[in-house]
Amino acid sequence: MRQRLIESCGLTLRDHGLLIDDPVGRELPEGWIALPLARGAALVVAPRDLTLEQLSFGDLNRIYSANSSVATTRWGDFGATGKWEYVPISMHVMTAASGLAHELFLHEVLQGEPMKGSVKRHDDWAAALAGTVADEGGIAIVSWLPESHPKLKSLLVSPQGDRVAFGPSAENMGTGDYPLSITLRLVVPRERVAELLPWLQFWFRDEMTAAFAEDRLMPLPRADRNQQVFDLEVVK
């Protein structure tokens, strides 16, 4: 991705901005601006015909945490009905080597606690999805799921059982409603925006949107990308 930018804009290494992730929203030093580029997320995926649409952090902790009071769970424990009520849940997760999803889930949901030994770990995104499909009661923590996947769906997630649950759409991530997402930002000195304008605007072009998607990141909605390009042109 970075090399694509360099070749397109004729930049040298000293021209690079800093791509960072700032989950706590800390203020930047005076004279710097941060540009949101894309969002990384931990998606909770399950069988498409599961008679359940949402889980809370507490539910996920009960399913995945080694410190859970139960060693195994069934989908009926969380409200699934019909044939799913007695189906045991089989847990899958992408490893830290395969993206942000693992660490985000570990930090936000498990709060650093270890996962159960029965959780199946996958270094590859496709393998995690395939393993989840193969297990009748599979659930997985992954970084991405195509909306058109024939066998799996993304569950809505809420930080607490009594709060509204949200799905992992670009809009919900942008507003901060989906609780398992984090924003990737480009940080650059304000005084260099005019000098680096072609390079900065390149990050919001369609080819970069495709590059983010290839890396299992959620690009900004087109309206947000267009607004970023406009804002850059008027930065003083």
Side-chain angles (χ1 to χ4, degrees):
M1 184 183 299
R2 185 178 69 176
Q3 188 61 35
R4 190 179 310 179
L5 284 169
I6 295 171
E7 293 172 354
S8 298
C9 301
L11 298 173
T12 64
L13 289 175
R14 61 184 174 82
D15 294 314
H16 287 192
L18 176 63
L19 183 65
I20 68 166
D21 161 50
D22 184 14
V24 297
R26 291 170 293 194
E27 292 186 6
L28 293 172
E30 185 176 355
W32 288 73
I33 62 172
L35 309 171
L37 298 177
R39 295 179 176 92
L43 277 59
V44 181
V45 303
R48 181 166 287 278
D49 60 344
L50 175 68
T51 55
L52 183 74
E53 298 300 327
Q54 67 184 60
L55 290 171
S56 68
F57 279 13
D59 296 332
L60 291 167
N61 195 288
R62 187 178 176 192
I63 294 169
Y64 274 92
S65 175
N67 295 329
S68 171
S69 59
V70 291
T72 59
T73 51
R74 298 178 179 180
W75 280 113
D77 297 337
F78 305 98
T81 57
K83 72 171 187 177
W84 291 102
E85 185 173 358
Y86 300 104
V87 174
I89 299 177
S90 175
M91 299 84 70
H92 299 258
V93 68
M94 292 174 61
T95 63
S98 57
L100 294 172
H102 179 276
E103 293 304 309
L104 185 55
F105 182 79
L106 196 67
H107 181 269
E108 294 292 333
V109 177
L110 301 188
Q111 298 184 6
E113 295 180 355
M115 294 188 187
K116 292 176 179 177
S118 55
V119 174
K120 300 174 183 177
R121 294 162 171 80
H122 305 272
D123 292 330
D124 178 75
W125 166 80
L129 295 186
T132 308
V133 170
D135 287 343
E136 181 185 10
I139 185 174
I141 308 302
V142 298
S143 57
W144 184 272
L145 181 71
E147 292 184 8
S148 59
H149 197 287
K151 299 290 186 179
L152 299 172
K153 65 181 178 181
S154 295
L155 298 181
L156 309 184
V157 178
S158 66
Q160 296 178 2
D162 59 351
R163 293 176 59 179
V164 176
F166 290 90
S169 67
E171 291 74 18
N172 288 341
M173 291 185 195
T175 59
D177 288 327
Y178 183 69
L180 288 176
S181 67
I182 209 161
T183 303
L184 300 177
R185 310 175 193 273
L186 183 67
V187 178
V188 64
R190 180 180 293 272
E191 64 182 13
R192 299 199 64 194
V193 168
E195 173 190 356
L196 299 176
L197 188 59
W199 178 66
L200 295 172
Q201 290 180 328
F202 190 90
W203 285 93
F204 302 102
R205 287 168 55 177
D206 289 343
E207 42 268 69
M208 289 308 299
T209 297
F212 284 131
E214 288 174 8
D215 286 339
R216 313 304 179 197
L217 296 170
M218 178 72 74
L220 298 183
R222 180 176 293 277
D224 290 355
R225 288 187 281 127
N226 291 342
Q227 186 64 50
Q228 288 295 327
V229 170
F230 174 79
D231 290 346
L232 281 169
E233 292 177 348
V234 299
V235 168
K236 303 291 185 181

